[in-house]
Amino acid sequence: MTVRELPNGYELDDDAGRVDVDAVWRYLSLESYWANGRSLATTERLVREAARVVGVYEPGGALVGFCRIGSDEETFAFLFDVFIMAEHRGKGLGLEMVREAVERGRHAHLPFYLGTRDGHGLYRKVGFDVPNERQMMRPGTKQLS
């Protein structure tokens, strides 16, 4: 389990049990363009079954950012549902959350994939490239057989 302090009292934590699934669901189903209308039951299952989650928490402990990783544990990892709530943006939290997800932990050596239409600048900072305008890929360090 990883807990890391960030500036201004924020924390990163990859404990899935700490994730406020209702907050994730509210953001994804009401504010995101990629998961608009996703059900709470589906959100609960996706958080529970994720290979890893990373949450960002404000000083009071409320969840303000989230992402999850799906992986076959051997050949690839996929970054899903990345967000920082609007009132907490501009503080470097999204970059630190994504960096934690792709550069640390048991999936760091794998190639990472993600789909986005608006986060290219942030993802390039952690090694993703743009094979086309809607998908990005970050090469892994592990040789595939």
Side-chain angles (χ1 to χ4, degrees), residues 69 79 98-104 107-108 112 126 128 138:
I69 296 169
L79 190 61
V98 170
R99 181 172 281 138
E100 177 67 35
V102 303
E103 293 181 355
R104 298 180 179 93
H107 303 99
F112 263 87
V126 292
F128 282 90
R138 180 179 182 272

Side-chain angles (χ1 to χ4, degrees), residues 1-144:
M1 185 176 348
T2 299
V3 178
R4 187 161 55 97
E5 289 195 27
L6 299 174
N8 301 314
Y10 287 92
E11 277 186 339
L12 284 174
D13 192 347
D14 66 354
D15 179 2
R18 185 175 178 187
V19 172
D20 180 346
V21 175
D22 287 335
V24 171
W25 171 73
R26 276 191 307 278
Y27 183 88
L28 292 175
S29 67
L30 299 175
E31 298 184 44
S32 76
Y33 63 83
W34 66 91
N36 190 274
R38 183 182 290 169
S39 73
L40 176 57
T42 296
T43 301
E44 288 173 334
R45 183 181 59 77
L46 293 173
V47 170
R48 183 179 62 250
E49 295 176 2
R52 185 178 184 211
V53 299
V54 179
V56 178
Y57 300 89
E58 67 181 343
L63 182 132
V64 300
F66 174 82
C67 67
R68 66 184 175 89
I69 296 169
S71 177
D72 69 358
E73 303 296 333
E74 292 293 327
T75 61
F76 76 94
F78 207 99
L79 190 61
F80 294 101
D81 295 337
V82 179
F83 71 86
I84 298 291
M85 293 180 182
E87 59 272 23
H88 298 277
R89 293 180 190 154
K91 301 175 183 181
L93 301 172
L95 177 60
E96 287 305 311
M97 179 179 66
V98 170
R99 181 172 281 138
E100 177 67 35
V102 303
E103 293 181 355
R104 298 180 179 93
R106 71 181 191 263
H107 303 99
H109 67 287
L110 296 174
F112 263 87
Y113 297 87
L114 66 87
T116 188
R117 71 177 190 202
D118 60 4
H120 299 87
L122 179 139
Y123 298 118
R124 281 188 183 104
K125 291 178 183 178
V126 292
F128 282 90
D129 195 6
V130 185
N132 64 55
E133 74 178 47
R134 296 283 307 260
Q135 293 181 338
M136 297 186 81
M137 189 245 185
R138 180 179 182 272
T141 57
K142 181 178 181 180
Q143 289 288 39
L144 303 177

